[in-house]
Amino acid sequence: MSKMQKKNLSKPDEKRTFDKGVVEVAALGGVEFGRATLQPGWKWSTCVKPLVKTKSREAPHLQYHVAGRLHVVMDDGSHDEFGPGDISLIPPGHDAWVVGNEPVVIIDITGMVDYAKPK
């Protein structure tokens, strides 16, 4: 019989910091939950791309947006903006940045396994 389990992102299994951002990751039930906090001025292509050395973000994200506004542009040129209360499914092949002066806080359940890990 399975046991009930609990973790808290305030006490993550792993914490990764990078320019203008931090990701706190906790694994539970085979899922790597991540809370990303991205400061104003954060942009994936300038703050994370130098670490991972890929053309664009190559992992999908299923996210709940807690705070702030995030603009996402796909490699094909399509784009959208997400804010508090939005749930987003973002396929591989994108760039993103914080819009405005409020930090972005996102809970991600699919794209944090290797997020901001240097290659």
Side-chain angles (χ1 to χ4, degrees):
M1 180 174 193
S2 297
K3 290 175 60 176
M4 190 178 336
Q5 299 176 45
K6 174 173 122 175
K7 290 201 175 177
N8 190 307
L9 285 170
S10 295
K11 296 177 184 173
D13 297 329
E14 185 178 2
K15 186 175 184 177
R16 301 179 204 140
T17 59
F18 44 92
D19 187 24
K20 297 182 180 74
V22 62
V23 170
E24 297 151 308
V25 180
L28 191 64
V31 176
E32 296 241 1
F33 290 85
R35 176 174 56 200
T37 304
L38 311 170
Q39 297 301 321
W42 176 89
K43 185 174 185 178
W44 183 89
S45 57
T46 57
C47 297
V48 180
K49 181 179 180 174
L51 295 172
V52 299
K53 299 175 179 29
T54 59
K55 177 185 166 214
S56 59
R57 179 67 178 133
E58 295 180 347
H61 296 282
L62 178 58
Q63 301 174 325
Y64 174 72
H65 297 259
V66 178
R69 301 214 54 86
L70 185 73
H71 193 90
V72 178
V73 176
M74 301 302 299
D75 289 348
D76 69 5
S78 61
H79 60 95
D80 208 339
E81 191 168 299
F82 304 95
D86 288 339
I87 298 169
S88 61
L89 179 60
I90 304 169
H94 59 272
D95 193 4
W97 57 86
V98 172
V99 175
N101 294 320
E102 182 181 353
V104 166
V105 178
I106 299 167
I107 303 298
D108 192 304
I109 62 170
T110 61
M112 292 299 171
V113 172
D114 65 354
Y115 193 87
K117 283 189 177 180
K119 289 190 181 190

